[in-house]
Structures are given as C-alpha cells and as structure tokens.
Amino acid sequence: MLKKLALLAALSSATAFTPIAPAQRAVTPISKTAIYGEDNEENASSGGQAISALTSGVKTIFSLEDIAKILPHRYPFLLVDKVVEYEQGKRAVGIKSVTLNEPHFTGHFPDRPIMPGVLQVEALAQLAGIVCLQMEGAEPGAVFFFAGVDGVKWKKPVVPGDTLVMEVEIKKWNKRFGIATAAGRAYVDGEIAVELDEMYVVFCFCIVLRFVRH
C-alpha cells in the first residue's frame, strides 16, 4: 500500500512540473477585430506601408532647412518642422512633430507629459512669421514679437507622439509699421487642439527702419 502511494505521489509531481513541449502549446493569433474593433475591421490597415502611404499626397513646400533661412528661431525653440501648404502673403499649413525629447517635457509634467498651451500658440505665431517674413517690405530672418492674442481656446491635450497640424491666415499686414494680424488653429488626428481668433505680431526690422528715418 505504501509503495502504491509513493508511486502515485511521484507521478503527480512529475505531471505538475513537466513543461509543455513547444508543439503542444496553443497559439492564438491576434485578430484584426481585437486590434481595430468590429466596426473598423474592414478598414483595418494592412501594415506600416499602408499607414505611411496615408500621407503620400502631402508635399513639403518648405523643409526644415528652408524654414531656418526664414525664421530666426533655433533649437529648442523652433516649433515648425515643415510647411505643406503655402499661399504667398495669405496663409500656410505647417507641421510640428511632438516628441518626448523636447526639454519642456522634463517638467511639464514628469508623470504626464503635455505640450504647454503657450508653446502651441508660439508655434502658430512662428508659422505666421514664415508667411509675413516673405511679404513685401519684410526681411527674412528678422526677429518678431507678440503684441497680443485674443480668443484662445484649447480643446484637447497635445502629447508626445502627436502630429500638430497648424493653419494660419494673415488678416492684415501693415508693411510700414511691421504689424501683422493673423488667425490660426491646430489639429491632432483631425480634431481641433487649439484655436485663436486673432494674434498680433510686431517685426523688429520695421522698428529699426523707423528709428533710422527719424
């Protein structure tokens, strides 16, 4: 009897701790439904190439190198990566790729990085600067300052990994005094992240010219 009990105990131990061979392991593939949901399964992407191709029709008008010849800003405060639409003296659409490598995320906030709203407005102002600094009476590379902002609304947080698509329209341009009025908004994944009714920008090259004339 004791021998039988000992044999059963040995068999039970062997069964409990014997690993399952690779061929015996059940492998359940991840379905597109699990990733995209039932409603979107038919429209699910077939991979990285298909996702990358979604922006194939978006052409770069001004590259980062081109922008550096127009704006005086440099890292870490150059907030426009490229311009993809441009109407001289009127409007522009620009792209800002938000990454965790940007220094403001160290403190804003350590456990929940969010792009500061004031930097979103600054990015819109820089995009407006790209338009204005190529207008009649302007001087590419000139420094410019905010004179005021009205009607700013933030709609959703902008976080690392987001692509901020910005659009500005120049409402007024006074080449004598170097003052521009513009409206702007920015989107993430097709939804408005920030919008402003008006911003006023003063360009320093006109201030210098007026000082020289007097």
Side-chain angles (χ1 to χ4, degrees):
M1 183 68 178
L2 290 175
K3 289 183 179 180
K4 290 182 179 180
L5 290 173
L7 180 60
L8 287 172
L11 289 172
S12 299
S13 299
T15 303
F17 295 100
T18 301
I20 300 173
Q24 296 175 300
R25 293 193 180 115
V27 178
T28 303
I30 300 175
S31 66
K32 288 185 177 181
T33 302
I35 299 174
Y36 299 100
E38 292 182 3
D39 295 338
N40 298 320
E41 183 177 0
E42 292 182 1
N43 299 322
S45 168
S46 58
Q49 183 178 6
I51 293 173
S52 177
L54 294 175
T55 58
S56 61
V58 180
K59 306 302 181 183
T60 299
I61 307 299
F62 298 128
S63 67
L64 189 60
E65 291 78 12
D66 297 325
I67 292 170
K69 296 175 183 177
I70 302 169
L71 292 181
H73 306 75
R74 295 295 182 268
Y75 175 86
F77 224 69
L78 179 55
L79 301 176
V80 183
D81 294 328
K82 62 181 177 179
V83 173
V84 296
E85 287 186 8
Y86 174 73
E87 291 183 46
Q88 186 173 5
K90 295 181 179 180
R91 59 178 289 275
V93 175
I95 306 294
K96 162 64 180 166
S97 298
V98 184
T99 73
L100 189 60
N101 295 327
E102 297 171 63
H104 47 264
F105 288 125
T106 303
H108 196 279
F109 298 96
D111 296 325
R112 191 186 178 191
I114 297 174
M115 184 179 182
V118 291
L119 291 186
Q120 297 171 34
V121 175
E122 169 66 22
L124 287 167
Q126 290 184 19
L127 183 59
I130 291 173
V131 178
C132 291
L133 285 172
Q134 299 181 86
M135 294 172 70
E136 182 183 357
E139 185 177 304
V143 175
F144 54 93
F145 302 103
F146 264 126
V149 182
D150 292 330
V152 183
K153 298 182 183 70
W154 287 275
K155 302 292 188 178
K156 62 180 295 186
V158 179
V159 300
D162 284 344
T163 298
L164 194 64
V165 181
M166 306 172 289
E167 182 174 10
V168 296
E169 181 181 354
I170 307 303
K171 299 293 188 180
K172 295 180 183 178
W173 167 245
N174 187 320
K175 65 179 181 180
R176 180 182 177 188
F177 295 100
I179 300 175
T181 304
R185 57 181 56 188
Y187 304 82
V188 173
D189 296 331
E191 297 181 8
I192 293 180
V194 58
E195 61 181 346
L196 52 87
D197 295 334
E198 286 186 320
M199 56 181 166
Y200 311 94
V201 183
V202 179
F203 293 80
C204 286
F205 67 88
C206 288
I207 295 174
V208 173
L209 287 174
R210 291 203 306 274
F211 178 78
V212 171
R213 286 170 183 169
H214 289 294

